[in-house]
Amino acid sequence: DVLIEVLDARDPLSCRTSSVEDYVNSFRPEVAIVLVLNKIDLAPPHSVDAWVRHLSASYPTIPFKSATGTRRGNSVMQAKERVSEASASQRKTHDCLGAQHLIQVLKEIGHGTAGFGGRAKMTVGVVGYPNVGKSSLVNSLIRAKSAETGDKPGVTRSLQELRLDKGIILLDTPGVVFDSHHTSSLSAIMRHSIAIEKIEDVEGLASQVMERCGQDTIARHYNISESGEGAGGGMLEQIAAKRGKVAPGGGLDTEAAARVLLQDLNKGRLSFHTMPPAPPAECLIGDAQVV
């Protein structure tokens, strides 16, 4: 009845499955699509706000922060505030943000669809690339750690059916990579949809990540020289020196340094974010408007 597409708030376009959206719109137009920007605690508020405005032009878009821990046994805590109302300190807690807003949107969709063909329940599918936080979102919604999660891609291997309340059933699905070159794709690395041990050219991708995040960000994170004047010259060499990564021959192990960098990226220690594309330029010619 409803399809929740989970996106990484830092770079939503890199993990947006437009082919799935097109299929639903063409062959299952009765299915409502809702976009969820997860991991908003890893992106600056101005970037999240801009993406919400941009994506809301296509579908309802909810900013979201999944709970990162459990309390009171196996329970998951939800903050009552919407993300737009949350303080900076609330964004950094272990509690979930945005759950009540998302549930409200789901119920509003249900009330406007004539009871889903006479059935008393609504089935909500949760889809997205690996490691965008689908299972964490499901756990946050049902207030319990029921769906299996992990910091590696591909933890969910089969369909999991979980009940949100008496009227809503959630289907947590395995992540699917739609990029045929995902083992060498920068976007796949940035969204952590492949395991680091499966990457062939670790140093090459690490160099692309440094360019993507900005050398100033890398330099500040590892306390190294951006100009390449530190030990070993290059930034990977400096990271290897800082972390004590030494190759069997006694030189600096830049491959191990590259893996350190990618691991820090995957764990959210390295900050990066994108902004929505600029709207098309508009100009006026006489009484005609060209877009």
Side-chain angles (χ1 to χ4, degrees):
D1 302 305
V2 181
L3 192 69
I4 292 178
E5 184 178 353
V6 185
L7 307 174
D8 189 321
R10 295 171 294 179
D11 192 3
L13 292 188
S14 73
C15 49
R16 187 174 178 182
T17 54
S18 298
S19 57
V20 173
E21 296 171 20
D22 293 342
Y23 178 87
V24 170
N25 291 328
S26 298
F27 300 102
R28 292 288 306 280
E30 74 280 6
V31 174
I33 296 176
V34 177
L35 305 180
V36 171
L37 285 182
N38 197 19
K39 305 186 181 184
I40 56 100
D41 52 317
L42 300 181
H46 74 274
S47 172
V48 173
D49 293 343
W51 276 112
V52 170
R53 290 193 299 270
H54 177 78
L55 295 171
S56 293
S58 301
Y59 304 105
T61 303
I62 313 299
F64 199 91
K65 183 184 85 68
S66 297
T68 55
T70 58
R71 296 181 181 179
R72 300 172 187 170
N74 202 38
S75 65
V76 171
M77 299 301 293
Q78 293 179 359
K80 295 182 179 179
E81 295 82 2
R82 293 189 178 191
V83 169
S84 58
E85 302 168 344
S87 64
S89 59
Q90 284 178 305
R91 289 174 180 245
K92 298 300 181 182
T93 67
H94 294 298
D95 296 349
C96 167
L97 278 172
Q100 296 301 317
H101 186 191
L102 178 55
I103 292 172
Q104 177 186 346
V105 169
L106 293 176
K107 291 184 175 180
E108 288 175 353
I109 293 173
H111 291 155
T113 55
F116 294 98
R119 287 176 288 135
K121 66 180 180 181
M122 173 199 308
T123 301
V124 180
V126 182
V127 301
Y129 274 80
N131 209 55
V132 292
K134 298 182 298 297
S135 296
S136 296
L137 179 141
V138 168
N139 289 336
S140 297
L141 288 176
I142 65 175
R143 297 174 178 263
K145 192 173 182 181
S146 297
E148 187 179 0
T149 63
D151 63 356
K152 291 185 177 182
V155 172
T156 303
R157 295 290 184 179
S158 60
L159 194 75
Q160 301 182 75
E161 181 177 308
L162 300 161
R163 186 174 293 277
L164 177 57
D165 62 22
K166 63 180 181 180
I168 303 177
I169 292 177
L170 298 175
L171 298 178
D172 185 21
T173 63
V176 178
V177 175
F178 293 85
D179 180 3
S180 60
H181 303 290
H182 67 277
T183 55
S184 59
S185 168
L186 175 62
S187 62
I189 302 301
M190 300 300 286
R191 63 178 175 257
H192 190 196
S193 64
I194 61 173
I196 294 177
E197 55 267 21
K198 295 183 178 180
I199 301 171
E200 296 178 0
D201 184 10
V202 178
E203 293 185 47
L205 281 173
S207 297
Q208 294 182 56
V209 168
M210 288 190 286
E211 182 177 353
R212 175 68 182 76
C213 293
Q215 292 191 348
D216 56 337
T217 298
I218 303 297
R220 285 196 305 271
H221 180 75
Y222 294 104
N223 193 25
I224 59 177
S225 171
E226 185 180 346
S227 61
E229 296 175 353
M235 299 191 84
L236 285 179
E237 285 82 358
Q238 294 184 70
I239 294 172
K242 282 279 184 179
R243 296 297 176 90
K245 302 297 182 181
V246 181
L252 295 172
D253 192 341
T254 53
E255 180 176 340
R259 294 186 184 279
V260 167
L261 186 147
L262 296 180
Q263 288 168 354
D264 285 347
L265 175 72
N266 288 344
K267 293 183 180 296
R269 297 168 184 159
L270 275 176
S271 61
F272 80 96
H273 70 277
T274 61
M275 295 297 293
E282 296 184 6
C283 61
L284 293 176
I285 302 177
D287 294 330
Q289 184 178 25
V290 179
V291 179

